[in-house]
Amino acid sequence: MPNSPDDWFERSLWASHCYIFEARAVRIGPEGIRTLALSHDIEHGEEHNVARLLDGPPIVFERRGRIGLGGWSGENANPVALPSAIMRHLDDHYRLSLSGEERIAGRPAQRLDIEPLDDMRYGHRLWLDKQTALPLKRMLINERGQMLETFQITDLEEPRVHGGEVILDEQRVPPEDPWRLNWLPPGYRPLPVAPQRSMHRTIVEQRLFSDGLSDISLFVESIQGEEFMLAPGLHRLGISYAAVRHIEVDNDPMQIIALGELPPEVLLKIIDEIVWSPDATDGDEAP
């Protein structure tokens, strides 16, 4: 049984990858109350997650993948599994504390409070199953102490540990591109992502940054017609925000999008500090 707040959180990170389970859950946020059916399985070493919305349109979210790595590969880099990478720097930007036991979904749970040490990220409250450390309930708290979203499992079929291996993701070399971030909130580090294509089949330069609890997704793409163009400024997407900026590079109109569950002014500052620098070495962290 874990003793410290850090031990509880690290165990929960690994549990989310290694347990097979089915569950029912409810999410309470700006869009109202939504109920979901969840499942997590492991097939041939790869994770298979499915989330089905049980009210409103019959939407299904499905993801197959491996345990992510905590960084790009390179001559001097040997990335470790993402749960281990998260724990290396978490205490630099969050304060973790245990806050007693409660009962969630009929199961004993340990409450874990995660408080940010600055106003550039949100706080979290987690209720972790005492038997498995799987998260049974999550609350997201903004910089003013207001609850933004609650996600809670209401029924959890008995989880079981996967008997085989869970495969780590493949190592990826940092891509070469001319975009440079001159500023990121302290503690956000680059994570490897595969190249993506937009709806109109052009390459989208995507970057992902994380401080271990929240992610910032950055997209840079050529604007191919007004139907694919987002209005500059700030857009709210549930509990996330998207900050959009338009620029021209060599007479080519581009849009830059920063998306994440962060205070909106942080995302606006990020896109304002992105520059076109053909001589930049990609993969460098922002100062």
Side-chain angles (χ1 to χ4, degrees):
M1 182 72 67
N3 293 317
S4 71
D6 284 22
D7 288 345
W8 269 106
F9 187 61
E10 184 171 13
R11 188 183 175 204
S12 75
L13 294 175
W14 285 108
S16 297
H17 292 291
C18 299
Y19 276 91
I20 297 171
F21 63 85
E22 293 186 357
R24 293 290 187 272
V26 61
R27 184 176 65 198
I28 305 172
E31 306 94 343
I33 301 174
R34 306 297 298 271
T35 54
L36 305 95
L38 309 174
S39 68
H40 179 262
D41 200 358
I42 301 171
E43 303 168 351
H44 307 294
E46 293 192 341
E47 297 180 70
H48 181 204
N49 292 281
V50 180
R52 294 181 173 86
L53 296 181
L54 300 180
D55 44 22
I59 300 174
V60 178
F61 300 95
E62 187 170 4
R63 176 186 174 274
R64 296 180 185 270
R66 304 174 178 183
I67 298 177
L69 296 177
W72 297 101
S73 65
E75 293 182 359
N76 301 315
N78 184 23
V80 299
L82 187 56
S84 298
I86 287 172
M87 298 306 300
R88 288 182 174 180
H89 307 284
L90 195 67
D91 288 342
D92 295 339
H93 305 286
Y94 293 93
R95 180 183 297 111
L96 283 67
S97 60
L98 300 177
S99 299
E101 300 178 11
E102 298 183 31
R103 186 168 176 264
I104 305 292
R107 302 174 67 93
Q110 173 67 58
R111 176 173 156 178
L112 176 64
D113 290 354
I114 304 178
E115 178 186 359
L117 300 180
D118 56 42
D119 59 359
M120 289 183 282
R121 63 203 86 219
Y122 292 151
H124 303 254
R125 291 177 189 164
L126 301 177
W127 285 259
L128 305 178
D129 181 40
K130 292 203 69 175
Q131 178 183 341
T132 65
L134 286 168
L136 299 177
K137 181 178 179 180
R138 300 186 185 94
M139 292 180 65
L140 187 65
I141 312 294
N142 70 10
E143 69 276 20
R144 296 182 297 277
Q146 300 169 324
M147 188 271 290
L148 297 177
E149 182 184 67
T150 297
F151 182 90
Q152 179 173 332
I153 287 179
T154 57
D155 181 61
L156 177 66
E157 293 189 14
E158 192 60 37
R160 65 185 189 278
V161 178
H162 174 60
E165 66 176 353
V166 184
I167 302 173
L168 292 179
D169 199 5
E170 62 183 283
Q171 295 193 18
R172 294 187 174 91
V173 177
E176 297 181 1
D177 66 43
W179 297 100
R180 179 176 177 84
L181 279 76
N182 281 344
W183 183 83
L184 277 174
Y188 281 86
R189 291 170 171 79
L191 297 181
V193 292
Q196 288 197 1
R197 292 185 179 272
S198 68
M199 292 176 60
H200 45 290
R201 301 183 181 279
T202 59
I203 291 293
V204 179
E205 299 291 348
Q206 180 185 4
R207 298 292 176 268
L208 179 64
F209 303 88
S210 177
D211 70 351
L213 278 166
S214 65
D215 298 336
I216 300 169
S217 295
L218 179 68
F219 305 90
V220 180
E221 65 175 333
S222 177
I223 299 174
Q224 303 289 331
E226 293 187 1
E227 67 269 28
F228 302 111
M229 182 173 62
L230 299 176
L234 199 63
H235 303 259
R236 184 163 186 174
L237 307 170
I239 59 173
S240 298
Y241 284 93
V244 180
R245 175 186 168 201
H246 291 173
I247 64 171
E248 278 199 13
V249 176
D250 298 332
N251 296 318
D252 183 15
M254 310 286 291
Q255 66 180 2
I256 302 169
I257 304 169
L259 174 68
E261 295 176 2
L262 289 89
E265 59 271 14
V266 173
L267 296 171
L268 290 170
K269 182 174 175 59
I270 290 171
I271 62 171
D272 284 343
E273 296 289 340
I274 294 176
V275 296
W276 173 270
S277 179
D279 297 327
T281 301
D282 193 77
D284 293 346
E285 292 185 25

